[in-house]
């Protein structure tokens, strides 16, 4: 008995790791000595007042935690397809905001070097994924020259997007059969996630201009993408093909990227919290109101409603960044997740690239259970049928772990670090993701 993986919307996240945060300036200890009183026995000088301990250099663990939550939410969404998850936690908006903040910090250095470094970190992990995905497509009989949707010479040229994601990569909408090892839509699910890398690349290239514009005209730069979304994401102006998809993605998440820059520059901190949160809540309420009148095929899935996605994500990110505690270490009970947070941040690109393919890989593995002797009973078969998706959820995480071991080290090579198999910060104590 075969359970076909049901395709979900391919427009959902993650984002790539960044160098460690620079050290905070150390405080200068100030000694205060009480002058002796004019008495026969002079008073002893007071001991020096210790200066506050300086913050240790390292990443902001609050932002790292947000990135980890966003990655988990993306995996769960693509597995179960629950539309309400896009409302509960808009992962892609959060990931673009975090990337924008890190990009603004890095742009203290020459812009060309920063862009080149970001692209260098992104491409090698993509090449490994592309080599595997394309090999599987070609082995399944796909010929880009004869593809009805991407056929001819142009379809062959489009393959460049598997090397440098400046556009949408071609892939067969159906390959193999539903009764095959993988369901016939596996290529759509595997390659569809590459939209995020395309959007991320264009944001990186545009970041010097965006940061320059934000520092001179913060409010227009911050709100302009929302205005653009209202034009291209509602049908007022229609841009055909993948160009339209790219422009829409840039518009929908552009304000989140600039919000990250605003957070880094301290712009958000200057706005009274009650004002920021109140305005964010109004923007989010508008997003839900708009969504209610423009529900797509999957109901409240905001991925199908660009203006609702843009406004809801914008308000959500404002609130998250307004309450940003800037942790040097995860506090309290969150500390037990420290190693997993560190690992996921060090392997964010690997997890994002491979998670959909690994979700589908759980199906042929679980289907083998039906062949076991004790599974021949109807009751046992019905029990597995009713819990099949849950077993997929529990199985996909070990598969992600194996993939991290197998190819995650490519992220280290791309970042010019020594390769590490399992970089969860365990050996280096507090040496977190870099």
């Amino acid at each position: 008995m075969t359970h076909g993986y049901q395709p979900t919307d391919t427009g959902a996240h993650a984002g790539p790791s960044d160098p460690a945060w620079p050290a905070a300036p150390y405080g200068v200890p100030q000694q205060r000595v009480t002058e002796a009183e004019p008495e026969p026995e002079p008073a002893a000088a007071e001991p020096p007042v210790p200066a506050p301990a300086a913050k240790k250099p390292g990443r902001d663990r609050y932002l790292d935690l947000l990135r980890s939550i966003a990655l988990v939410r993306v995996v769960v969404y693509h597995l179960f397809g629950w539309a309400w998850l896009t409302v509960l936690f808009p992962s892609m908006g959060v990931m673009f905001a975090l990337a924008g903040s890190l990009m603004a910090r890095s742009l203290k250095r020459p812009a060309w070097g920063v862009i080149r470094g970001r692209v260098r970190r992104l491409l090698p992990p993509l090449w490994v994924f592309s080599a595997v995905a394309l090999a599987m497509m070609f082995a399944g009989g796909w010929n880009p020259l004869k593809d009805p949707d991407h056929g001819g010479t142009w379809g062959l040229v489009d393959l460049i997007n598997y090397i440098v994601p400046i556009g949408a990569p071609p892939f067969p909408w159906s390959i193999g059969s539903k009764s095959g090892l993988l369901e016939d839509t596996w290529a759509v699910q595997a390659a569809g996630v590459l939209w995020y890398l395309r959007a991320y690349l264009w944001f990186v290239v545009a970041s010097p201009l965006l940061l320059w514009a934000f520092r001179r005209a913060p409010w227009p730069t911050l709100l302009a993408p929302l205005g653009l979304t209202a034009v291209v994401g509602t049908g007022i102006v229609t841009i055909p093909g993948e160009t339209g998809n790219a422009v829409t993605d840039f518009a929908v998440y552009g304000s989140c990227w600039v919000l990250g820059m605003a957070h880094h520059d301290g712009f958000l901190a200057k706005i009274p919290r009650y004002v920021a949160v109140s305005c964010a809540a109004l923007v989010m309420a508008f997003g839900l109101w708009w969504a209610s009148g423009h529900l797509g095929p999957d109901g409240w899935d905001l991925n199908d409603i660009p203006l609702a996605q843009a406004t809801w994500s914008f308000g959500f990110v404002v609130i998250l960044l307004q309450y940003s505690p800037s942790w040097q270490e995860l506090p309290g009970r969150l500390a037990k997740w420290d190693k997993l947070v560190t690992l996921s941040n060090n392997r964010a690109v690997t997890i994002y690239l491979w998670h959909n393919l690994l979700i589908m890989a759980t199906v042929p593995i679980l289907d083998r259970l039906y062949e076991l002797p004790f599974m021949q009973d109807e009751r046992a078969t019905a029990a597995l049928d009713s819990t099949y998706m849950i077993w997929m959820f529990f199985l996909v995480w070990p598969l992600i772990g194996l993939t991290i071991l197998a190819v995650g080290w490519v992220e280290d090579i791309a970042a010019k670090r020594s390769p590490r198999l399992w970089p969860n910060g365990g050996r280096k104590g507090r040496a977190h993701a870099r």
Side-chain angles (χ1 to χ4, degrees), residues 17-317:
S17 300
D18 218 76
W21 291 90
Y26 283 82
V28 179
Q30 300 292 328
Q31 284 193 333
R32 292 197 315 230
V33 181
T34 304
E35 294 183 1
E37 296 290 341
E39 295 180 0
E41 295 291 333
E46 292 183 6
V49 177
K55 292 184 178 180
K56 297 179 180 180
R59 288 178 65 101
D60 187 326
R61 299 300 279 168
Y62 174 72
L63 301 185
D64 286 347
L65 178 64
L66 290 181
R67 185 181 292 105
S68 298
I69 294 173
L71 284 170
V72 171
R73 205 285 278 158
V74 166
V75 175
V76 174
Y77 168 79
H78 278 161
L79 173 58
F80 294 101
W82 293 330
W84 53 267
L85 284 174
T86 63
V87 177
L88 178 66
F89 194 88
S91 283
M92 306 318 295
V94 172
M95 292 176 70
F96 280 121
L98 300 181
S101 178
L102 294 175
M103 190 68 186
R105 185 209 60 185
S106 296
L107 283 172
K108 295 174 182 177
R109 306 192 302 272
W112 172 243
V114 173
I115 293 174
R116 185 176 57 190
R118 288 293 186 282
V119 173
R120 187 192 67 237
R121 290 178 177 219
L122 184 69
L123 296 186
L126 171 63
W127 295 340
V128 173
F129 173 80
S130 297
V132 173
L134 286 174
M136 293 173 63
M137 293 179 200
F138 294 150
W142 179 56
N143 185 346
L145 289 173
K146 299 180 180 179
D147 190 292
D149 299 307
H150 308 279
T153 305
W154 190 249
L156 200 61
V157 172
D158 271 351
L159 291 176
I160 192 67
N161 290 302
Y162 282 102
I163 301 174
V164 181
I166 56 177
F171 48 80
W173 286 89
S174 178
I175 185 170
S177 65
K178 289 188 177 181
S179 59
L181 190 63
L182 294 176
E183 203 224 353
D184 60 346
T185 62
W186 71 263
V188 178
Q189 303 303 312
V193 299
L194 297 182
W195 76 270
Y196 172 77
L197 272 68
R198 176 193 65 196
Y200 176 84
L201 178 63
W202 284 114
F203 277 127
V204 165
V205 172
S207 282
L209 178 60
L210 288 174
L211 187 59
W212 176 87
F214 171 75
R215 288 174 175 171
R216 283 155 181 78
W219 286 110
T221 306
L222 190 59
L223 299 177
L226 294 179
L228 181 60
T229 305
V231 174
V232 301
T234 60
I236 295 177
V237 173
T238 301
I239 303 175
E242 284 302 326
T243 301
N245 292 335
V247 171
T248 300
D249 291 338
F250 194 92
V252 168
Y253 298 108
S255 287
C256 290
W257 187 277
V258 179
L259 273 175
M261 292 179 164
H263 172 260
H264 172 268
D265 278 11
F267 178 81
L268 292 181
K270 297 176 183 177
I271 304 173
R273 180 173 292 177
Y274 74 92
V275 174
V277 173
S278 299
C279 292
L282 289 175
V283 173
M284 295 169 71
F286 170 81
L288 291 183
W289 172 79
W290 181 266
S292 68
H294 300 81
L295 298 180
D298 296 317
W300 284 86
D301 193 325
L302 299 186
N303 290 312
D304 300 329
I305 316 170
L307 185 56
Q309 177 74 284
T311 51
W312 180 262
S313 298
F314 178 86
F316 198 95
V317 168

